[in-house]
Amino acid sequence: MSDVERSPYRQPVTPSGLESIEKGTLTWLDQDMYNNLNTGILEQYLEEKNLNDSFEISHWSSKKVFIGIFIGAIFSGVTAYIGLKIGLAVSAAWYIALGMALQWSPSEVNIATSATTGATNASIGFIFTFPAIFLLAYSEDYKIGDGHLISSVDTWNLAFIGIIASMFAGFLGVMYFIIFRRVWLVEDPLPMPGFEVTLKLLDISTDVSTGSAEEARKSINTVGIWTIITMGIMFVIDYPIRWSKKLAGIPSSLADWLAMSFSGEKWGLASIYTERWIHQPSKLTDSTGESLGYAPNGGITNYESGNPLSYTFLGVDVSPTLFAIGWFMKFRAAFLVSLGSILAWFWLIPLAVIQDVPVYDPSIGEYVNITYYAETDKPTVQWEAFESIIRTIAIGAILGGGILGLLKMTPTFIGIFGDISGAFSGEKGEEFVEGKGWYEWPLSHIPIFMILSFFAISMIFILGGFPILPSIIFSTVLLFTTFLLGAIAVRVMGETGIEPISGTSFIVLLMLLMIFLNFDLGLTKEESVLMALIGTTVFGSAISMSGTVVGDYKNSLYIGNRPYHISKGNIMGIIPGAILGAGVAIFLSKLLADGTIKLLAPQANAFAYFTTIVAEGQGNWSALLVGMLLGAFVEWATGMGTSFGLGMYLPTPTTFPMLIGGAYRSWWENRRLKPIVESVKKTEGISAGEKKGAQMLLFTFMIAAGALTGEAFYGVEAAILAVLDETSLGINSWWPYARITGFIIINMILGAIVYILFRRAGILGNQKAKSEDKSNKSQSSILDAELAD
């Protein structure tokens, strides 16, 4: 095992773990492994172990993979709705529970889940970027003078180009990160906050498949209880109990109703809580002073000269997922992400508002002072500052921090480019083991996929009606940006648990717009905008696949799977996922643009606004440069400049829950975990103390697994019901009663199915019989021992 440089997120190896590694006794999913995650030494040890032993464990099952693809393809449509509603893509990792109940091995579950996540993430670009095309063509919010930047949309043609090109780009995204797997998962392992949940679920599936029912029962009970608790919390804060209020656009959940009940005309509990957000105090009135009974604009205070609350915004999203991610990030990483938000919302935005800086308004074609929006139907001036100025700085910070981070890794990249050179020459590396087969997908396929993708994507755009030269230019840009910007995006994901797909996509969009608008390539202004947005959609799908395959690689390393099977699973999931997910996203985009449905669609609106500004020649280059310098400085000082940039890109309700989760974990480890571990070490020895620490930490992982799973389950169900709300069902007087009855019945059926499956697997139920069987086995063992004596 080689030495590696110090990393800002590296964990120290434990004495017991080091001893086990030296003796060769450390194995997959044991307590020494959990105690030494992300130490670098452990990962290099497991990589060498997997090269020798994974061929006996990692087995491909086409039937199980196809089950994973089917579930992932369906889930991709649901993900499209959730992504447009709140701007986040929900993971399908909870599918892993099905494999556990069917007594699949951890290897089989991990491989099948790689196909699921591949299918789910193949259409991410259509969720974040593609809707901007419809907004620019049909939405009243993006008029330029008396018209629109895009005159009309040929939906079928654009869908054909985007879906087929995204498939090839997805393949390319998977191929590229075969190279980075060793760098960021073995030699300098990225922590990837949140992966521990999936790893623990895989651990439970080990207990199930090997018959260790008691351990599996304890783990499943903990995960199940917290899944139910989380779904209960989500129901209280999110489910529209008061249907008539929901139709009127008024907060309608049980939590909102309680908050409004304990409020007066202007102030009360609803002043600090609205629709899942605990926020800064806000008057319960609209811009005219009329009492509403709830805080408008999610608690974002309307602009008032001299009111400091109207210069900024502080809030906390009551999201178990975000708190859990913060727990896995720990305090330092969570703080650096939140520091970006703090700088943006407590200094840069107030500064912009106080100075009343001018911003470009495309609807009137001129610059206006930012407080102008207080006099229009957009009274939340600080939010205008965030979207028009701060996000540009944040994009620059992500880019600047990422570039410096990659430059700091130059010695590592020299080795990577050596591997690439070998791949082009047909050389076989460690990915092939003589007499056993492929451990990793062959590097020689990377140049083949690059060439294939280049010609295929170019031809797709040409067949779609775009000129030859711009099509070739885009394919060239895609080949390089998927590699370089994808590396930045995956690094951020590895540090924070969130991949900045939209943040890096803005960079690609800017590049394409600058090229297509400023050079004579045979494109009209409208064609330039269309091609840039479609191209950015394709890029988003490519780096999304890069992120998901690296996440699956991470878990496979710790359970002994071959990366070859993970790559294969992701690749197989791309085609059905891209078709179904993109289809749903396009359908919802049309409804969103013409006002049929009301969805937040934060990324789509941001892309539409950014495109309008650049197309009108009003890009804020100074803000982008400031952001690059800021991100580079934070990267130099802390090693996490890209994470800082991501924090600037997100509003405080998203980052503050992570900060709270990370701070609470640090407090818990120092005040609860450490004293108990030290006490056990003194009385029972170092090994016993480390074992106790691992057990306590794993218990928190199972709680977090329940939180993530519960919110994902609820999110899926809420998305399906919300789509049904927009049909003719939603206008019927009986629908609210049928809706909640169906919600309850569906969850009861799902609960019964899960219980039956785990009962058949011998994990749940029939406790008395199991206890008697265990007692009989114990007595039989004693008798056998006595006979042997």
Side-chain angles (χ1 to χ4, degrees), residues 287-336:
S287 57
T288 66
E290 182 180 350
S291 179
L292 296 174
Y294 63 92
N297 306 308
I300 305 172
T301 307
N302 294 349
Y303 176 74
E304 298 175 20
S305 180
N307 178 6
L309 292 180
S310 66
Y311 298 161
T312 187
F313 180 65
L314 169 63
V316 176
D317 189 340
V318 184
S319 168
T321 293
L322 294 175
F323 285 107
I325 288 175
W327 180 270
F328 291 120
M329 288 171 71
K330 294 188 174 182
F331 178 70
R332 182 181 184 273
F335 174 73
L336 286 172

Side-chain angles (χ1 to χ4, degrees), residues 735-751:
W735 172 241
Y737 306 101
R739 190 185 198 273
I740 193 167
T741 301
F743 178 83
I744 293 170
I745 291 174
I746 288 171
N747 280 288
M748 290 178 65
I749 292 173
L750 287 174

Side-chain angles (χ1 to χ4, degrees), residues 118-145:
T120 303
N121 287 276
S123 59
I124 292 296
F126 282 89
I127 301 171
F128 291 161
T129 309
F130 200 79
I133 295 174
F134 292 91
L135 291 173
L136 291 175
Y138 303 118
S139 175
E140 293 296 312
D141 293 334
Y142 293 99
K143 270 193 170 183
I144 299 178

